[in-house]
Amino acid sequence: MIKKINKKYGNIIEKETTIIEALKVMNSCSLNLLIVVERNRLVSLISIGDIRRAILNNIDLNTTYVKEIMRKDILIAKETDSIERIKSVMLKERIVCMPVVDKKNRLLEIHYWDELFLKEKSVASIDAQVVIMAGGFGTRLKPITNIIPKPLIPVGEKPIIEIIIDNFMKHRVSDFYISVNYKAQMIEDYLKSKESKECLLTYFKEETPLGTIGSLYLIKNKLKKTIFVSNCDIIIDEDYAEIYKYHKNNKNDITIVSAVKHIEIPYGVMETEEGGNLIEMIEKPEYTFQINTGMYILEPHIIDLIPDNEFYHITDLIEKVNQSGKVGVFPIPEKSWYDIGQWKEYTSTLAKYSNMYIDL
């Protein structure tokens, strides 16, 4: 009876599904919203926001079922509703998908945004500045970085630095600061045609390597707003306004964007004590971690903590702020994090990134 969901999106789950299994489904489909059913009857919806709140509340993802965190109030359509009414509600509420049910609450059909509307959903503006760390040598990506710098390595039809800039420009962010060093002129030459009043690019150069955050001391007098800091070998395919809102609502000094990564070990794992005596053996264990993606939000006063002209990593800054300030973590699905830092990750990103646009 379900017409579309399994064939194209695969975002339907049973209510007895664990949160970690739901997250796996979300990582494998192109939507951050899942339909929860019980014997083909609609029960609820669960979004990445619902899973994110579970993570932030330290709920066990491996043993907790989605029925314990799913929404109580959802918008649905009846089989008698016209497509015009459904489209009107979806436009007003900015809904990714609208389930259609009959009188017995059986799921009949699901209408998706990208099938009903050709244009992209509008995104909220962000009042922030952006720093892109583009000064690295790209050693792990040689020999290609012997020819072009890592920020200009293509992902699809654009170099990664342009994709990063474009993602922020969707939120009407226009003030960009780019830390350069290796093949700096090549980066500036490429981005010259992109400069406009909607895209103000300021370059600052570290004459010697200063770590992953040390060069920001050079522009501390220019950073007056909340600052997004992004490595230049990652793409975060998420709603940046949601990350910004979390940062502001929680009054964080620093927010780290993390990717929720699930690892399955296909072997029995043993823990032993002195003398080789077995303590415990776990067959094919599974673990869930939050991985640092390389994107952060900083409040401008934090920049004053960065020492002048010294080698200084973002981890040093985070540890310092965490002692007396507030550091938050914003989790995103693993599928929303694209990494090109090494050849293996780069080839994986090319496949994932191209498939994302083929599917949509």
Side-chain angles (χ1 to χ4, degrees):
M1 188 171 288
I2 298 173
K3 297 181 180 179
K4 304 176 183 178
I5 190 165
N6 286 329
K7 289 184 180 179
K8 182 172 183 181
Y9 292 97
N11 63 329
I12 185 168
I13 60 173
E14 295 286 333
K15 73 172 187 177
E16 297 295 331
T17 305
T18 61
I19 299 176
I20 192 62
E21 290 299 326
L23 188 58
K24 290 180 187 178
V25 173
M26 199 172 283
N27 278 329
S28 67
C29 70
S30 58
L31 297 175
N32 283 341
L33 186 70
L34 303 180
I35 311 295
V36 183
V37 300
E38 183 179 26
R39 293 190 295 274
N40 200 36
R41 283 178 167 79
L42 180 67
V43 177
S44 186
L45 303 174
I46 185 167
S47 71
I48 184 57
D50 300 319
I51 294 178
R52 182 177 296 122
R53 281 185 287 274
I55 294 171
L56 295 174
N57 289 326
N58 289 322
I59 293 175
D60 191 329
L61 306 186
N62 294 295
T63 61
T64 307
Y65 294 109
V66 295
K67 65 182 181 181
E68 298 177 46
I69 66 166
M70 63 190 183
R71 306 175 184 188
K72 292 182 172 58
D73 299 315
I74 61 172
L75 285 172
I76 61 174
K78 300 177 181 177
E79 60 182 324
T80 54
D81 289 339
S82 67
I83 191 64
E84 287 75 20
R85 183 185 182 281
I86 291 172
K87 289 175 69 173
S88 176
V89 173
M90 291 180 71
L91 272 172
K92 181 181 178 182
E93 303 295 336
R94 317 305 292 173
I95 299 172
V96 173
C97 64
M98 174 73 81
V100 181
V101 298
D102 64 13
K103 293 179 181 179
K104 295 183 178 180
N105 218 42
R106 289 178 297 194
L107 188 62
L108 301 178
E109 189 175 3
I110 301 168
H111 292 291
Y112 295 97
W113 179 278
D114 69 300
E115 293 177 344
L116 297 181
F117 309 101
L118 294 177
K119 63 180 182 179
E120 292 186 6
K121 292 178 67 177
S122 61
V123 295
S125 299
I126 298 174
D127 185 24
Q129 296 170 293
V130 175
V131 175
I132 302 174
M133 308 303 291
F137 291 95
T139 305
R140 293 174 297 174
L141 284 173
K142 288 185 175 182
I144 192 172
T145 48
N146 290 333
I147 304 168
I148 60 173
K150 184 165 61 175
L152 295 186
I153 290 177
V155 178
E157 297 182 355
K158 298 179 182 179
I160 189 167
I161 191 169
E162 187 173 8
I163 294 172
I164 294 170
I165 292 171
D166 287 347
N167 284 344
F168 282 104
M169 289 182 67
K170 291 176 184 177
H171 294 274
R172 270 76 70 186
V173 176
S174 60
D175 198 8
F176 296 90
Y177 294 84
I178 303 175
S179 175
V180 293
N181 185 342
Y182 179 66
K183 295 188 182 294
Q185 193 60 53
M186 190 178 293
I187 297 170
E188 294 182 38
D189 289 344
Y190 177 85
L191 292 174
K192 195 168 187 178
S193 62
K194 198 169 189 69
E195 293 186 50
S196 68
K197 63 180 180 179
E198 288 81 28
C199 183
L200 305 173
L201 303 178
T202 301
Y203 301 92
F204 60 106
K205 187 172 185 179
E206 46 183 327
E207 297 301 331
T208 58
L210 295 174
T212 53
I213 201 70
S215 64
L216 263 67
Y217 91 91
L218 293 166
I219 54 169
K220 64 172 60 177
N221 294 329
K222 297 181 179 180
L223 300 175
K224 304 298 183 183
K225 298 180 180 179
T226 298
I227 310 144
F228 275 84
V229 177
S230 176
N231 290 350
C232 207
D233 55 6
I234 56 113
I235 300 169
I236 302 296
D237 183 35
E238 276 291 320
D239 185 346
Y240 295 174
E242 286 296 316
I243 306 173
Y244 179 84
K245 183 168 71 173
Y246 165 81
H247 174 82
K248 286 295 189 180
N249 287 349
N250 286 275
K251 299 180 179 179
N252 293 340
D253 295 305
I254 297 177
T255 293
I256 308 166
V257 179
S258 71
V260 181
K261 190 171 183 65
H262 187 75
I263 298 174
E264 300 178 9
I265 299 179
Y267 311 104
V269 174
M270 291 170 284
E271 182 182 355
T272 60
E273 62 182 3
E274 187 176 351
N277 296 322
L278 179 69
I279 297 175
E280 183 182 21
M281 182 168 68
I282 304 174
E283 187 64 23
K284 299 178 181 178
E286 300 182 14
Y287 302 99
T288 302
F289 302 97
Q290 291 191 62
I291 307 299
N292 183 1
T293 63
M295 178 181 281
Y296 315 89
I297 306 182
L298 281 62
E299 286 304 303
H301 67 271
I302 296 301
I303 305 302
D304 292 331
L305 300 177
I306 298 173
D308 289 0
N309 202 30
E310 289 185 20
F311 191 90
Y312 200 69
H313 278 318
I314 184 68
T315 49
D316 300 322
L317 182 63
I318 290 169
E319 289 175 6
K320 188 170 187 177
V321 172
N322 202 34
Q323 292 174 3
S324 57
K326 188 173 183 182
V327 177
V329 177
F330 185 91
I332 64 172
E334 183 182 359
K335 68 168 185 177
S336 298
W337 174 41
Y338 299 86
D339 179 24
I340 71 159
Q342 301 185 58
W343 276 111
K344 182 180 178 181
E345 284 79 9
Y346 177 49
T347 54
S348 174
T349 289
L350 287 179
K352 286 168 56 182
Y353 205 73
S354 60
N355 287 338
M356 178 177 71
Y357 288 101
I358 290 170
D359 291 341
L360 289 180

